[in-house]
Structure formats: C-alpha cells, structure tokens
Amino acid sequence: MGHVLEIRQLSVEFPSRRGVLKALDEVSFSIQAGEVVGVVGESGAGKSLTGAAIIGLLEPPGRVSGGEIWLEGQRIDQLPDDQMRLLRGRKIGAIFQDPLTSLNPLYTVGQQLIETITTHLSLSNSQAKTRAIELLEATGIPAARERIDHYPHQFSGGMRQRVVIALALAAEPKLIIADEPTTALDVSIQAQIIELLKRLCREHGTAVMLITHDMGVIAETANRVVVMYAGRVVEVGAVRDVIERPQHPYTAGLMGSIPTIKRVVERLVQIDGSMPRLNAIPSGCAFHPRCEHVMPICRRERPELMVRGASQAACWLMAKEGTDG
Ligand code: SF4
C-alpha cells in the first residue's frame, strides 16, 4: 500500500457526566515514507489528540471509539499496552514542544541515546555510542564527542530540541510524530530545527506527522496538509494547493495567518468567533456559525470530504460548484 501510517475514520470519545463527548469524529488520512504531513488547526481542533491516539497515549477516560490505525500494514489501535510501548520506541518516535518532557534530567544525553539504541537495535554498547555520536553530529550539535557526556540542563533550548530529535531517530523509527516541535523556541532557531527535521526524515525515509497551529511552519516543511476543525478533517491537499487555493472557508481564514517573509499572503478572511467546545459542536458543518458563506444545508447536514481539483474539502460549496459545473 505504500503508506507508513494510515488512519481510517478514527473517532475518539470522552465519557463525561453529561454524556459522551466526541473529540475526534471519523478522521482519515495517511502518510507515506519520507513524507511530511502537516496537521494544522486552532487549539482544540483535535490535532494533538490524533497524535496521542496514534501513539496509544490518550489520557483516560479518552478512548478510541471507532475507526482503525494502521502502521506499516499492522493494525495498532487495539494492541495491548506492553506491545504498544515497544512499538513507540521502535517504530514511532515522538518530539514534543518541551524537550524536557522527552529527556531525563538525571542521565547524560549519551546514556539516554545509548539506552534507546541498545533497547531497540541489536548493537553493542560501543557500537551504540558511536551511533549516538553520529546522531548528535547529524543534528548539528557541535563537539558531539564531548557533549554526549553532558546532562540535558547543560544544553540551550534549541540544542536540547536537537538532542530530542536525535533521540526520536535513534531507533530508526518509521514514523515521527512531532507535536509543536518549535513553538517553544526562538524564532531564529525555529527555522533551523524545522530544516533539520525535514532533512533527516528525508534521508532516513521517515514519515512525519507534524502537528502545529502555525501555517508558516507547515508551509516551510510539509508535503501535504490536513486541516482540522472541531475534531474533523475539513481539508486535505498538497501544501502548495492548500496555501494558494484553499477550498474550505476555514482554511482560507487560516491562510490569512501565515507569517511569511518570502511572500506576502493577503489576509483573505477574518475568522470571527472561536472553535466550539466539545459539548457544543454545531449541527451540520461545525464551522457554520463562523462561516460567511453559510447556506441552509450547512446547518442541517454534515459535509463529507469532496474532491476539488487536487484537494479535498468538507464543505457544501464544493458540491454546489461541482453540480453547477
Ligand atoms: Fe461554510 Fe457551509 Fe462550507 Fe461549512 S459547509 S464551510 S458553513 S459553506
């Protein structure tokens, strides 16, 4: 099939005292080897939740209530915890916003890298150390041979995130889930880290799911984009298509928020209002209360993803223009 990751109609629920809240509603997309797919949306759209569901770290009482997650042809959404833990180290690497959540302050970065490598690959300690140094060098850590014996607190924020990238790649995973990997970093460092992640994953053929609220980061990094709103996918397409010709009114609004130096992107639409709460997701198209193109059908019926040019968008405008020819 060629897909490293395939998500089919994934739904996640949170049972609550006032009933079941649907946090993800039939989310589907896939990522190929060497491909960076950006998952974008405002906070609360379900981006991080999708990542957490894939790595099997949904916070209880959240649970996968429907759909399937496939990693390299293996269904992984129903694996027991111990198997999932193995898979997380070996096949899925994770990079989070705060590098300190991935690093243990009590061990040197070398100890942590070597442990990850020897746990998942059949290498001796000295081979693992050589590989650890190579990884640190590949991520641009100067004097890696000395730095390998340093503790996380001895690195700057940007250098620490490089260490986390090295750690995420250490077991040669097939998939990396990077959740806002540069949000906590200085703007000047952000571009370097993004470039690094992109290059290393291309070289290693690693599939990347890049979760961010920042369209600018997506524009610089991703091959394809998945736009989420209120727990649903509202648009999927190649990054250039989605940026230059956004189909969904919500995406068009998001595009207005790209801070890019290279190109001046016109502010297309001002999106008023905010993302609905889980317990108050509007009927039909969840975006309808904020949409300036809203039609009667939008309030009644939920639009599925519809093909439009090279992209897909879940919006009744697609159907309308499609039938109008
Ligand atoms: Fe707007 Fe209707 Fe499209 Fe929703 S389906 S984005 S309300 S036009």
Side-chain angles (χ1 to χ4, degrees):
M1 300 207 291
H3 298 308
V4 171
L5 177 74
E6 189 169 5
I7 300 175
R8 299 181 192 154
Q9 304 201 294
L10 179 68
S11 294
V12 166
E13 289 179 349
F14 284 85
S16 82
R17 244 174 283 137
R18 280 190 233 138
V20 173
L21 303 178
K22 202 157 209 183
L24 288 186
D25 196 351
E26 303 198 347
V27 167
S28 300
F29 63 90
S30 60
I31 313 181
Q32 294 182 348
E35 186 182 41
V36 178
V37 169
V39 179
V40 70
E42 292 164 287
S43 89
K47 318 178 295 282
S48 296
L49 210 57
T50 307
I54 296 166
I55 53 182
L57 290 178
L58 278 177
E59 288 206 11
R63 57 159 193 250
V64 172
S65 57
E68 300 173 359
I69 304 170
W70 292 76
L71 184 72
E72 288 202 299
Q74 181 191 9
R75 187 163 173 191
I76 63 166
D77 52 281
Q78 295 179 330
L79 288 182
D81 285 351
D82 54 335
Q83 285 189 38
M84 203 57 215
R85 203 171 307 127
L86 264 180
L87 203 75
R88 267 202 296 277
R90 178 69 187 91
K91 289 200 169 179
I92 309 177
I95 302 170
F96 298 107
Q97 179 170 338
D98 178 2
L100 291 178
T101 55
S102 311
L103 296 169
N104 187 327
L106 302 177
Y107 295 95
T108 67
V109 302
Q111 286 167 326
Q112 297 180 56
L113 279 163
I114 291 166
E115 207 217 302
T116 304
I117 294 167
T118 52
T119 305
H120 297 290
L121 307 176
S122 45
L123 292 180
S124 70
N125 258 26
S126 69
Q127 286 170 323
K129 182 169 183 186
T130 307
R131 185 166 156 72
I133 292 169
E134 284 167 5
L135 277 165
L136 290 177
E137 282 170 347
T139 55
I141 307 248
R145 223 165 267 280
E146 287 94 63
R147 297 293 262 159
I148 195 168
D149 294 322
H150 290 182
Y151 291 85
H153 75 265
Q154 295 174 283
F155 291 80
S156 66
M159 284 294 156
R160 238 180 255 145
Q161 198 61 305
R162 287 172 191 267
V163 172
V164 171
I165 293 176
L167 199 60
L169 285 165
E172 298 174 353
K174 302 298 176 190
L175 171 70
I176 285 195
I177 297 187
D179 192 346
E180 303 281 5
T182 61
T183 306
L185 303 175
D186 285 353
V187 178
S188 58
I189 312 282
Q190 282 184 4
Q192 296 171 16
I193 296 289
I194 286 296
E195 189 47 45
L196 172 70
L197 190 62
K198 199 163 111 180
R199 178 173 58 79
L200 289 178
C201 291
R202 196 173 50 227
E203 285 170 9
H204 293 251
T206 316
V208 181
M209 175 174 164
L210 175 68
I211 299 167
T212 178
H213 68 284
D214 185 341
M215 257 332 283
V217 168
I218 299 269
E220 299 295 333
T221 321
N223 304 106
R224 281 191 304 128
V225 194
V226 173
V227 182
M228 292 189 69
Y229 186 81
R232 300 171 186 177
V233 174
V234 295
E235 183 157 354
V236 185
V239 73
R240 182 167 304 171
D241 293 327
V242 173
I243 287 174
E244 288 173 5
R245 286 179 297 280
Q247 303 294 340
H248 195 284
Y250 176 63
T251 317
L254 276 184
M255 290 313 130
S257 62
I258 306 186
T260 166
I261 323 160
K262 286 189 198 147
R263 252 167 340 111
V264 181
V265 179
E266 222 180 311
R267 198 169 178 90
L268 294 165
V269 190
Q270 188 79 37
I271 321 180
D272 289 329
S274 58
M275 180 88 65
R277 290 172 179 280
L278 285 185
N279 60 6
I281 293 184
S283 60
C285 169
F287 188 60
H288 84 246
R290 298 170 76 184
C291 182
E292 58 176 20
H293 305 286
V294 60
M295 304 172 280
I297 191 177
C298 306
R299 298 193 175 88
R300 280 195 322 267
E301 278 182 57
R302 173 182 165 176
E304 298 298 327
L305 283 173
M306 294 174 238
V307 178
R308 178 71 183 282
S311 302
Q312 288 178 289
C315 170
W316 287 118
L317 290 172
M318 307 297 114
K320 190 169 158 247
E321 294 180 21
T323 46
D324 289 352

